[in-house]
Amino acid sequence: MFQWITLPALLVVVLITAAAIRRRRLNSRAGAAWLLLWVAAAVSVAFPDILVVVARFLGIGRGADLILYFSILFMFAGFFLVYLRFRRIDDQLTRIVRHLAIRDGEEKRGGKAAP
């Protein structure tokens, strides 16, 4: 029953992701990563025994544990990338505000440099 619900839902998400890539709302590299994730999810739902084999090969007892461990690792990586982007945007905003403050100060002095 779970597979009958999840696989069509994953197909819809794949189509939405492909449309976002085509409309350039998502860059191709990020889109490819999302598509890979959705396809991997679909394969793991359709063939759960594959996860058990991979998990045991890696020394993990169950396929569900493998998914949990990978999910945690990918979430930490995602949070780190969001943090880096936030820092970059913060630095850019600081430079813009500093530039505008200097420009406005010069305009108030009539374009003359301070003594």
Side-chain angles (χ1 to χ4, degrees):
M1 181 69 167
F2 176 75
Q3 292 170 329
W4 288 102
I5 296 169
T6 307
L7 290 174
L10 287 169
L11 177 62
V12 169
V13 174
V14 165
L15 294 174
I16 291 171
T17 304
I21 295 168
R22 196 172 337 109
R23 292 182 183 144
R24 299 187 190 264
R25 291 185 173 189
L26 188 61
N27 71 46
S28 59
R29 189 169 55 177
W34 281 109
L35 286 174
L36 181 65
L37 176 72
W38 302 135
V39 169
V43 168
S44 68
V45 168
F47 308 104
D49 293 336
I50 292 174
L51 285 176
V52 175
V53 172
V54 172
R56 289 199 177 136
F57 176 76
L58 294 174
I60 300 170
R62 301 180 309 160
D65 292 339
L66 176 69
I67 291 174
L68 177 67
Y69 299 154
F70 274 125
S71 298
I72 290 170
L73 289 173
F74 284 120
M75 281 189 288
F76 283 156
F79 291 150
F80 181 68
L81 292 174
V82 168
Y83 170 75
L84 291 177
R85 183 173 182 144
F86 175 77
R87 290 294 308 224
R88 187 177 72 237
I89 291 171
D90 189 49
D91 291 343
Q92 290 172 345
L93 182 60
T94 300
R95 280 187 260 129
I96 291 169
V97 170
R98 186 177 298 139
H99 174 76
L100 292 174
I102 291 169
R103 187 192 69 185
D104 290 348
E106 288 174 351
E107 286 177 0
K108 288 181 181 178
R109 288 191 303 268
K112 297 178 184 178

